[in-house]
Amino acid sequence: VRTENDLRIALEHRADQAPETSQTLIARALADQPPPSPVRARLSIGLAVAMVAALIAVPLAVRQAVRNSNGTHPTPAASSPAPSNKKVTALSWVTLPTDNWYQRDMYGYPNQENIFITLVPPAGGNGIVIVDFPPGGFDTGQLARAKPVTVDGHRGYFGQITTMTGPKPTAGLRYHPVVGPHTALAWEIAPDQWVVLSEGYYGLVDMTESQLVSTATSLGLRPRSTPNRFPFKVGYLPGSGWQLHTYFVGNPKYTMWAQISLTRGSTELLISVSTEPTVAYPNGLNGHAGRFVVQVLQREVGTEKPVTAFDSATLAKIIHSIVVASPSYQESSSWFTFDQLLP
Amino acid sequence: VTFEEYAQQHTRRLLRLATVLARDRGTAEDVVQEVLIRALASWPKISRLSHPHAYLRRMVVNECVSWRRKWGRVQAAPDVELDRSTADHGGRHADRDELIAELRKLAPKVRAAIVLRYFEGLSDAEIADSLRCQQSTVRGYIHRGLKALRIELTDTEQQSAIRDLAHQDRRTHS
């Protein structure tokens, strides 16, 4: 027989499981409340458009340590990006003309505060890639023959890039932010925050300075202080020490494919949630979450080779622990922050 | 009291309440985050209230009640149900988890009424104020909630009030 006291005890027990995030929530609330400013007003308009256009958050936390007095020949950086343990903070939204762009890829690297996005127009052909780097990670010296330009009122450089040093690739990532040699545009959207825009992987013909500047301006990137978000989270993982990467691809009107790649040693766990049917993978397990298809598979890092690190009961437990934000990924403000993605 | 002072003192409490009310801890965090951001925007007004915490508690409850409608989330399941080993819980521990699972299945306002009564210890009047409804509606919610959770009443005053409701309920259905 259950009594009222049993109920009180159960509720207290549940409350004891409250996350220890009070300080984080307070800090975020305070950070989200700057006094009204023209920038914020523009952000609000951008957000309104965003809800229609199903925006993707882009954290841009680039600290450009390299400065040059005349700006024409930026000094090469001494080292490659160092991973940062700071939590990802989305500082920008990308406002996209959805009628003109079909596909979006978004790669997130929570431990490195690094996101890059690929956009492809509906008719195919040249896409563009937008990249940001972890603090101190972008070297403007990578832009050869750099020429000072202005983008939406911000200083920037137009030049040619061969390889944008991106985050450390893993087997879960099908693409790398390597675009060169191509023309590219880098601009400082806010103090110490740099964005780089160049052609996508399929680009064959170099974009001109005016095309890049015009595209960059039309994207409507704005600084933003709310956290970056992802459409699902995982409540259970076997063991600890997993390295997290995320991947997202979608068209705002039709499809979504979101993936969490977890690597530990030579094992990679790939957890996907999509609106499209997913082919079964050897030693993997498929499932469902509402209208979404869920898949967990295990393979060797850096290859497609299936491995059996965990039995199907463990994979089922992982699937059972997945929570997908809905009703749709257009409502990206209902998604989970990166620090909520794993148990 | 400044917002920072209030937040330092009460955010943990709000998180605990949201954790009991919400489906999962992530949602609880989102709810409290949302409430703090909105409260900060109106803090000059809220801080003049005699009980700012009661106001924020109400915001948390309302946000939790409407959250599912706004941002319903779905839990995944494998296509093939596998043999799962059952954890070795003691009977009481297992029932506690089951009770919380059943609580989550209640209608949002019924769940909120139950939580405000048995977790926050509020009176009918205070719950009615939080949920913006009549006290009789609150008693109805609690009656329905306790019935669904198969809780046997031990509080005599509560018992008689709810017994009346149960009696009315039976008359309506007979």
Side-chain angles (χ1 to χ4, degrees):
Chain A
V1 175
R2 287 172 174 171
T3 66
E4 289 169 292
N5 204 40
D6 291 335
L7 177 58
R8 287 190 185 97
I9 291 169
L11 292 171
E12 283 294 334
H13 176 73
R14 175 64 184 159
D16 289 343
Q17 295 164 5
E20 297 288 339
T21 48
S22 303
Q23 295 307 320
T24 310
L25 299 182
I26 296 167
R28 279 190 199 152
L30 291 168
D32 207 64
Q33 291 293 314
S37 67
V39 171
R40 194 164 174 80
R42 284 203 297 176
L43 173 63
S44 302
I45 294 165
L47 267 177
V49 176
M51 295 322 266
V52 177
L55 298 185
I56 298 167
V58 185
L60 297 169
V62 178
R63 295 203 193 285
Q64 168 60 331
V66 184
R67 296 293 174 87
N68 185 281
S69 55
N70 63 17
T72 52
H73 298 287
T75 313
S79 61
S80 59
S84 159
N85 290 323
K86 279 173 61 184
K87 286 179 180 171
V88 170
T89 302
L91 299 173
S92 294
W93 281 86
V94 180
T95 309
L96 301 170
T98 50
D99 291 340
N100 298 330
W101 299 95
Y102 176 74
Q103 192 179 29
R104 299 157 187 201
D105 294 9
M106 178 176 78
Y107 298 75
Y109 303 87
N111 298 330
Q112 299 182 37
E113 297 193 21
N114 192 319
I115 285 279
F116 77 95
I117 292 180
T118 308
L119 306 168
V120 182
N126 286 3
I128 58 169
V129 59
I130 310 164
V131 188
D132 75 280
F133 294 87
F138 178 64
D139 169 15
T140 53
Q142 291 181 56
L143 279 174
R145 294 190 290 279
K147 173 189 166 192
V149 292
T150 302
V151 179
D152 205 13
H154 305 286
R155 76 178 184 125
Y157 301 108
F158 167 75
Q160 193 166 53
I161 202 159
T162 302
T163 299
M164 284 195 274
T165 310
K168 190 169 68 177
T170 74
L173 303 175
R174 305 283 159 84
Y175 308 108
H176 295 224
V178 178
V179 294
H182 280 309
T183 50
L185 183 70
W187 74 102
E188 193 177 29
I189 133 175
D192 294 332
Q193 296 169 18
W194 285 75
V195 187
V196 179
L197 169 65
S198 187
E199 282 150 291
Y201 315 106
Y202 323 107
L204 297 174
V205 182
D206 276 348
M207 291 171 83
T208 65
E209 177 188 330
S210 64
Q211 282 173 328
L212 283 169
V213 170
S214 145
T215 305
T217 306
S218 72
L219 290 173
L221 281 165
R222 297 286 180 268
R224 185 177 162 78
S225 61
T226 53
N228 188 38
R229 288 174 184 271
F230 196 71
F232 73 92
K233 67 176 182 179
V234 182
Y236 167 77
L237 282 177
S240 58
W242 293 99
Q243 184 77 28
L244 168 71
H245 291 159
T246 63
Y247 172 53
F248 175 89
V249 56
N251 171 282
K253 289 176 187 165
Y254 307 110
T255 60
M256 174 188 103
W257 189 50
Q259 188 176 72
I260 283 178
S261 159
L262 296 152
T263 54
R264 192 178 64 182
S266 61
T267 304
E268 178 180 34
L269 270 177
L270 271 178
I271 305 170
S272 313
V273 171
S274 72
T275 51
E276 300 288 303
T278 305
V279 179
Y281 197 85
N283 303 329
L285 190 66
N286 283 22
H288 58 88
R291 65 193 177 89
F292 299 102
V293 177
V294 176
Q295 184 177 68
V296 179
L297 60 89
Q298 44 188 339
R299 65 190 190 188
E300 191 179 276
V301 168
T303 73
E304 301 275 336
K305 185 181 163 192
V307 296
T308 310
F310 304 104
D311 60 16
S312 56
T314 304
L315 300 189
K317 201 170 171 187
I318 294 171
I319 288 185
H320 271 300
S321 76
I322 293 170
V323 179
V324 185
S326 70
S328 76
Y329 78 97
Q330 278 94 331
E331 309 282 9
S332 56
S333 59
S334 74
W335 291 4
F336 303 100
T337 54
F338 274 28
D339 53 354
Q340 293 172 342
L341 298 189
L342 301 184
Chain B
V1 60
T2 66
F3 174 80
E4 287 89 333
E5 286 166 351
Y6 170 82
Q8 290 296 345
Q9 209 178 333
H10 293 285
T11 300
R12 180 75 193 149
R13 226 173 126 185
L14 293 175
L15 256 177
R16 284 172 62 84
L17 173 62
T19 302
V20 178
L21 279 168
R23 185 192 171 90
D24 58 80
R25 297 178 350 144
T27 306
E29 281 183 305
D30 286 348
V31 163
V32 173
Q33 179 79 92
E34 182 80 17
V35 164
L36 288 178
I37 288 171
R38 280 172 34 212
L40 179 54
S42 313
W43 192 250
K45 210 187 292 179
I46 296 173
S47 62
R48 285 199 296 273
L49 299 172
S50 50
H51 298 293
H53 180 66
Y55 188 80
L56 266 85
R57 184 174 57 207
R58 186 159 76 191
M59 289 173 80
V60 166
V61 171
N62 289 337
E63 199 63 32
C64 284
V65 166
S66 62
W67 192 267
R68 194 171 173 78
R69 192 170 62 236
K70 283 196 292 188
W71 312 125
R73 286 169 174 180
V74 283
Q75 188 87 28
D79 283 335
V80 181
E81 197 58 48
L82 302 152
D83 291 338
R84 282 184 289 156
S85 57
T86 312
D88 185 28
H89 293 302
R92 185 173 293 181
H93 193 280
D95 188 54
R96 198 164 60 195
D97 291 345
E98 199 182 311
L99 194 50
I100 293 299
E102 288 174 22
L103 182 77
R104 287 197 200 118
K105 290 179 192 163
L106 297 178
K109 286 197 174 179
V110 173
R111 184 171 66 228
I114 291 282
V115 168
L116 291 174
R117 163 64 45 82
Y118 291 99
F119 180 67
E120 289 283 303
L122 301 189
S123 66
D124 287 352
E126 289 168 318
I127 298 172
D129 182 51
S130 278
L131 297 178
R132 293 176 186 276
C133 62
Q134 301 292 321
Q135 291 187 42
S136 56
T137 310
V138 168
R139 286 193 287 274
Y141 285 153
I142 291 175
H143 166 61
R144 277 164 52 197
L146 292 178
K147 195 174 162 189
L149 297 172
R150 304 188 308 282
I151 303 283
E152 189 171 271
L153 292 173
T154 47
D155 179 332
T156 16
E157 199 180 314
Q158 177 88 353
Q159 240 172 339
S160 63
I162 288 181
R163 201 173 289 128
D164 288 347
L165 274 166
H167 185 59
Q168 282 172 23
D169 209 23
R170 272 197 298 277
R171 276 198 309 198
T172 315
H173 288 93
S174 61

